Amino acid sequence: MIDIQKLMIQAMKKQLFPGKDELNIAARQVLGEIKTKIKDIKEEITNEIQYKLFQKMKKDRANSIEIYEKAFRDTGSEVAKTNLEKAQNELEIIDLFILELESQMPKKMTEAETEQFIDELIAKFDSKPNMGMIMKLIKSNSILNIDMAIASKILKEKLK
């Protein structure tokens, strides 16, 4: 699990990314946000929970980047440019934390393993199950071990 407090202190002392103040600022922002989100969680904080929170933050930053890029292209605004750079720096930091968490978690199933898992799930039904039902089972059984995009593609083929 990522030690948020320790990393925050390193970023404040500018030791997390020596010589890169903009990345240390972005790291403090990201770590502060994740720390706030973790306070609201009433269960034990695991790698998986941190991973989900960082994935949500990544999606939010990617959306912000799209908005700021469009605003900067359309207006040439310095505010849009500054916000774009800030969001890009934060996304870079989030990606680093996601990579760190992924290295500590079980590896994702291969496409062949995913297909085998789906076959086993489908075999448990007497009649042809619907896609939503199977996807729900996949998510509840192993959300972090299966690439949901691959699972969806395989399931669509199998349930034709």
Side-chain angles (χ1 to χ4, degrees):
M1 187 165 57
I2 293 175
D3 185 345
I4 293 167
Q5 195 68 32
K6 180 181 172 189
L7 291 174
M8 209 166 199
I9 291 167
Q10 287 178 332
M12 282 189 249
K13 292 180 177 178
K14 299 181 182 179
Q15 295 170 336
L16 194 58
F17 300 101
K20 297 188 176 187
D21 287 347
E22 68 282 353
L23 289 182
N24 284 305
I25 291 167
R28 285 196 307 267
Q29 176 65 31
V30 167
L31 291 166
E33 184 178 336
I34 198 82
K35 188 175 178 182
T36 301
K37 289 180 181 204
I38 285 174
K39 282 183 183 177
D40 295 336
I41 297 174
K42 303 295 183 218
E43 58 190 287
E44 180 186 351
I45 305 303
T46 62
N47 282 341
E48 290 78 13
I49 288 172
Q50 280 188 347
Y51 183 81
K52 288 177 188 177
L53 291 172
F54 279 117
Q55 286 291 354
K56 170 82 171 89
M57 291 169 67
K58 179 178 180 170
K59 184 177 178 185
D60 292 344
R61 292 318 183 284
N63 289 337
S64 295
I65 287 169
E66 280 183 39
I67 291 166
Y68 294 134
E69 280 177 339
K70 183 177 181 339
F72 182 64
R73 257 192 329 269
D74 294 349
T75 65
S77 163
E78 280 301 312
V79 172
K81 181 180 179 188
T82 301
N83 287 336
L84 173 61
E85 290 168 355
K86 181 178 178 264
Q88 288 170 331
N89 286 336
E90 289 174 4
L91 182 60
E92 184 178 338
I93 299 301
I94 291 167
D95 282 337
L96 288 173
F97 292 144
I98 287 172
L99 283 173
E100 174 62 25
L101 285 168
E102 285 176 342
S103 73
Q104 299 173 26
M105 293 168 36
K107 299 293 179 210
K108 290 206 182 268
M109 288 184 181
T110 64
E111 192 165 338
E113 292 169 330
T114 302
E115 186 168 2
Q116 181 181 353
F117 180 73
I118 289 171
D119 286 340
E120 290 169 8
L121 283 177
I122 291 173
K124 292 180 181 180
F125 290 89
D126 292 334
S127 61
K128 188 175 179 180
N130 69 40
M131 184 160 174
M133 186 184 307
I134 297 291
M135 289 300 284
K136 190 173 183 177
L137 283 171
I138 293 169
K139 283 182 183 181
S140 68
N141 280 307
S142 56
I143 189 163
L144 297 173
N145 294 337
I146 293 180
D147 184 323
M148 295 307 287
I150 291 172
S152 177
K153 182 183 93 174
I154 291 169
L155 197 52
K156 283 178 186 173
E157 283 296 314
K158 297 219 175 266
L159 297 178
K160 275 186 180 179

